[in-house]
Amino acid sequence: MMDKLMIIEDSLENVDGGFAFLGRLPYYRGLGLSMVEDIQVTIDGEKIAREDVRFTVRGKTYTLDEMETVYDDRWNFGEKAKITALKAGGLAPGQHKLEMAVRNRVSYLPFVPTTKCVKDVALAA
C-alpha cells in the first residue's frame, strides 16, 4: 500500500554530480536511520551503486554506510527525504523509469522487508 507513495511526483531533478528526487519511508512509523539498511535506486534499468547513493533529511546528508551508525536521527512517517544518485552528466530531459527500493529493519519482524516503487517520471528541460 505505501509502496505507491515512496517516490514523490514531479521531484526528479539534475543536481551537481548526478540526479535527485524526493522519497518517503515505506513504513507506517518513523525509523532511526541505522534501521534503514539499504536504498536501491535504478534509473532506466541502470542500477546505481550503493556507494553512489546519498540520503538527505532535515539538511543532513549521509552515505548509506554512514547511516548504519546514525542513532540520533530518524526518517519520520510521511517525511520527504532527498535521495541523490551520483551519475556523471545527470539525466537527459524527458521521461525516465525510476525505481526505489528500501530495505529496513523492524525489531518485531522475523524478516527484513524490502519495499519497492517504480514510476515513470519526467525531468523538465
Side-chain angles (χ1 to χ4, degrees):
M1 177 171 105
M2 300 181 84
D3 57 331
K4 297 174 190 164
L5 303 174
M6 290 170 60
I7 297 172
I8 307 300
E9 301 287 337
D10 300 321
S11 68
L12 184 64
E13 63 179 343
N14 277 324
V15 296
D16 187 29
F19 66 92
F21 62 95
L22 297 177
R24 288 190 191 100
L25 179 69
Y27 186 62
Y28 72 100
R29 305 171 83 174
L31 288 176
L33 294 186
S34 66
M35 297 174 73
V36 178
E37 292 194 347
D38 197 19
I39 299 173
Q40 298 169 356
V41 177
T42 303
I43 189 76
D44 300 326
E46 177 187 347
K47 184 177 176 184
I48 304 298
R50 176 182 166 85
E51 58 269 13
D52 292 335
V53 175
R54 303 292 181 268
F55 175 89
T56 304
V57 67
R58 290 178 307 284
K60 297 178 188 173
T61 300
Y62 306 94
T63 67
L64 298 180
D65 286 344
E66 289 171 338
M67 284 174 60
E68 292 178 2
T69 58
V70 176
Y71 307 111
D72 60 350
D73 204 356
R74 50 189 297 109
W75 192 1
N76 294 309
F77 172 75
E79 184 173 32
K80 297 173 186 176
K82 185 174 190 175
I83 312 298
T84 302
L86 304 179
K87 179 175 170 49
L91 300 174
Q95 287 294 120
H96 296 277
K97 182 177 181 180
L98 177 62
E99 301 178 38
M100 174 186 178
V102 176
R103 186 175 69 231
N104 55 45
R105 187 176 58 258
V106 180
S107 62
Y108 57 83
L109 293 179
F111 58 92
V112 179
T114 298
T115 306
K116 182 178 179 181
C117 179
V118 179
K119 285 193 178 181
D120 289 319
V121 295
L123 179 67

